[in-house]
Amino acid sequence: MTCHKCVGPVPSAGLSRRAVLTRFGMGLGGIALANLINPASLRASGEVQQDRGVLGGQLHFQPRAKRVIYLFMAGGPSQMETFDYKPALNQRNGEQLPDSIRQGQRLTGMSGNQASLPLAGSRFGFSRHGANGTWVSDLLPHTAKVVDDLCIVRSMYTEAINHDPAITFFQSGSQIAGRPSMGAWVHYGLGSDNEDLPAFVVLITPGKVDQPLYARLWGSGFLPSEHQGVQFRSGKDAVLYLGNPDGVSRQSRRLLLDRLRDLHAHAAEQLGDGEVDGRIAQYEMSYRMQASVPGVMDVANESEETFELYGPDSRKPGTFAANCLLARRLAERGVKFVQLYHQGWDQHDNLPRDIERQCRETDQASAALLIDLKRRGLLDDTLVVWGGEFGRTSYSQGKLTATNYGRDHHPRCFTVWMAGGGAKPGLVYGATDDFSYNVIERPVHVHDFHATLLRLLGIDHERLTYLYQGRRFRLTDVHGKVVDDLLA
């Protein structure tokens, strides 16, 4: 039997003097020795020290990826209109969903009371693309051109059937709010490659009416607050409350932060609260971001060819295309985890009209991001992920007509894809039945997905843990296995 040892720091807050001496007694000798050998090493240098994360740069595996760009399609894209070609649905369009396929599985309250569950074939065609002849929807012509770079997983499944727990599950490994987000875990483990920018940045397409997004989806949970994601916005103030008020100079801000740091350090010494250190780190990062954020947000030096690659929307700040371009700029500067959210995929009715619009808004930019990263030599060590929180039903929610239908939530099977960063290119993994209702080959659970993502970053998902309320937590909870077939 293989034993996996969980590792992670032991919190020191609230310990008695005796407990502190017992726990750290061996370390005191090391501190004394270091002081004898090199006294200056223990003095404050005034310089920012590189953040190497809790692992200290000592990874469990050779990393394939150094950073992640996650294109999250909030709402649940229909797999049958994107990557899971099901001609049988068109042949049996209007027939009832067979009981042998449903197998008594639960439905949502939105379609569970329907007297009829008519199968709905896709109104959009599919074509074969790439060296392996991979089926891709005609709604995604740009993605089809880069399909040989994609690792397509058609056999994803989840446990949640409603949006909030499903999105929370994908972002934090738990359906219950309060756990650290994926990006927070990555920052906690790996640290940062850029001392002037957050290691975890969030970009949201504005003006999309759909299921709400909450800051806790990119929060740090019980991890120190410095690991939470920082949302960048379009417009004058890319980060809220970052700029100095009128009449406050950068020099006076520096003096204020120095005094505030002294007060916090005094509080940390008195209370032994590690979160105080987190607040100091956040203040210092904000100060450095005042100088770094304007530069990364200024795309004026991007070439005309680059804007054409990402599409006309790339010139409009805040759009998905503009955010994809910004994600590439952040990746160039060493940001570890960039999370893009694009809402609007929750198509219970009018699906043909709405999914065509969604694909038009995201297809070209998603493909352009891969092309742009690849030509700059960044795709090999940047893992790009595309997908939503669950799939859609093969039957129509509401009335099925010749030109219109909707699809309800479906956790039993859906599609995500990865590219770069050690994911196996040109692979189509797993399969669903003829109705895209059940996984019939090589299922991949959300926890398996998280374990595999961390593996590509060089992390053993069972060994990146945090002790909280007497228990060691991890992103994959007590589940998950690495899907080795997805690794290049």
Side-chain angles (χ1 to χ4, degrees):
M1 180 179 295
T2 302
C3 178
H4 297 274
K5 181 181 178 182
C6 290
V7 297
V10 178
S12 59
L15 295 178
S16 66
R17 182 173 60 181
R18 176 175 295 180
V20 170
L21 291 174
T22 300
R23 182 172 295 177
F24 302 115
M26 295 300 293
L28 294 176
I31 294 173
L33 178 61
N35 190 46
L36 289 172
I37 295 173
N38 184 13
S41 67
L42 294 180
R43 297 172 191 157
S45 64
E47 298 179 358
V48 178
Q49 301 298 315
Q50 181 181 3
D51 177 10
R52 305 187 70 190
V54 71
L55 298 179
Q58 302 299 313
L59 303 184
H60 308 128
F61 306 101
Q62 183 66 31
R64 313 286 187 91
K66 293 181 179 179
R67 66 197 69 87
V68 177
I69 299 176
Y70 197 142
L71 311 178
F72 195 82
M73 305 292 108
S78 168
Q79 69 276 16
M80 290 150 289
E81 270 75 22
T82 51
F83 295 100
D84 201 7
Y85 179 43
K86 295 300 175 185
L89 283 180
N90 293 79
Q91 298 166 6
R92 303 183 62 170
N93 189 69
E95 296 182 18
Q96 291 299 300
L97 174 69
D99 291 338
S100 59
I101 298 300
R102 180 183 170 186
Q103 300 174 1
Q105 296 164 10
R106 64 173 176 161
L107 308 178
T108 75
M110 292 170 284
S111 63
N113 295 323
Q114 286 185 199
S116 174
L117 298 175
L119 297 173
S122 174
R123 292 190 66 248
F124 305 98
F126 275 69
S127 305
R128 289 185 178 274
H129 298 271
N132 295 329
T134 302
W135 289 104
V136 180
S137 169
D138 295 344
L139 288 171
L140 302 169
H142 295 278
T143 303
K145 294 177 182 178
V146 297
V147 72
D148 283 342
D149 291 319
L150 305 187
C151 176
I152 300 174
V153 182
R154 288 180 177 162
S155 54
M156 282 295 306
Y157 72 101
T158 183
E159 299 167 17
I161 200 170
N162 289 312
H163 292 286
D164 185 84
I167 295 177
T168 304
F169 195 22
F170 247 101
Q171 300 307 297
S172 69
S174 172
Q175 296 185 52
I176 301 173
R179 301 281 183 89
S181 59
M182 206 184 326
W185 277 112
V186 171
H187 181 202
Y188 167 69
L190 300 182
S192 175
D193 292 335
N194 188 323
E195 64 187 30
D196 297 324
L197 287 171
F200 179 16
V201 173
V202 176
L203 305 169
I204 301 175
T205 308
K208 302 294 291 181
V209 179
D210 205 340
Q211 298 297 321
L213 299 173
Y214 310 96
R216 59 174 168 77
L217 295 175
W218 51 91
S220 56
F222 44 70
L223 293 177
S225 58
E226 64 201 80
H227 301 299
Q228 67 186 332
V230 177
Q231 185 179 348
F232 281 19
R233 295 167 167 83
S234 58
K236 179 181 177 182
D237 295 319
V239 180
L240 295 181
Y241 314 115
L242 185 64
N244 291 326
D246 293 339
V248 177
S249 67
R250 186 162 174 79
Q251 292 75 18
S252 63
R253 176 64 68 184
R254 180 67 266 168
L255 291 172
L256 173 63
L257 289 177
D258 288 343
R259 301 293 78 76
L260 189 60
R261 181 182 57 198
D262 294 340
L263 291 171
H264 277 117
H266 178 71
E269 182 180 353
Q270 295 296 314
L271 302 175
D273 185 359
E275 187 58 29
V276 174
D277 295 330
R279 285 195 290 271
I280 295 174
Q282 291 284 67
Y283 292 145
E284 293 296 331
M285 172 59 74
S286 297
Y287 179 76
R288 298 194 297 274
M289 285 168 57
Q290 288 182 331
S292 62
V293 168
V296 76
M297 297 295 291
D298 184 6
V299 297
N301 62 343
E302 295 289 344
S303 67
E304 289 297 313
E305 188 273 337
T306 298
F307 285 117
E308 292 175 3
L309 176 66
Y310 284 87
D313 282 350
S314 62
R315 300 178 184 274
K316 305 172 186 176
T319 61
F320 180 79
N323 284 345
C324 282
L325 176 56
L326 183 55
R328 188 222 78 207
R329 293 173 62 84
L330 291 166
E332 284 180 310
R333 288 158 175 80
V335 174
K336 282 288 186 189
F337 203 100
V338 184
Q339 179 93 56
L340 277 68
Y341 290 94
H342 187 80
Q343 298 162 282
W345 297 92
D346 188 26
Q347 293 146 0
H348 293 271
D349 54 18
N350 295 314
L351 183 143
R353 179 198 66 189
D354 292 346
I355 200 168
E356 188 171 15
R357 181 180 64 245
Q358 290 292 106
C359 290
R360 188 168 58 249
E361 292 173 349
T362 59
D363 172 45
Q364 182 173 353
S366 299
L369 176 61
L370 302 187
I371 295 170
D372 204 7
L373 289 170
K374 192 173 187 178
R375 68 185 183 182
R376 295 169 187 269
L378 288 169
L379 186 60
D380 286 343
D381 58 10
T382 302
L383 179 64
V384 182
V385 181
W386 182 100
E389 66 267 34
F390 43 49
R392 314 302 296 196
T393 56
S394 53
Y395 62 81
S396 176
Q397 179 182 340
K399 186 177 182 180
L400 173 67
T401 71
T403 58
N404 194 29
Y405 53 91
R407 298 194 190 277
D408 203 354
H409 310 164
H410 191 61
R412 299 290 300 176
C413 61
F414 57 105
T415 299
V416 303
W417 60 253
M418 300 183 289
K424 186 176 293 185
L427 174 68
V428 176
Y429 187 83
T432 61
D433 59 29
D434 290 341
F435 302 87
S436 193
Y437 202 90
N438 297 295
V439 175
I440 60 172
E441 183 181 318
R442 295 181 291 186
V444 179
H445 188 269
V446 174
H447 289 310
D448 303 332
F449 170 79
H450 287 158
T452 305
L453 184 147
L454 291 179
R455 175 64 177 81
L456 290 169
L457 290 166
I459 299 172
D460 182 344
H461 71 102
E462 294 186 338
R463 297 171 64 191
L464 180 64
T465 69
Y466 189 84
L467 184 62
Y468 176 67
Q469 293 186 342
R471 176 193 164 188
R472 290 194 178 276
F473 287 85
R474 67 187 203 220
L475 175 60
T476 52
D477 197 43
V478 295
H479 309 281
K481 62 182 184 299
V482 175
V483 184
D484 292 321
D485 290 342
L486 303 181
L487 309 182

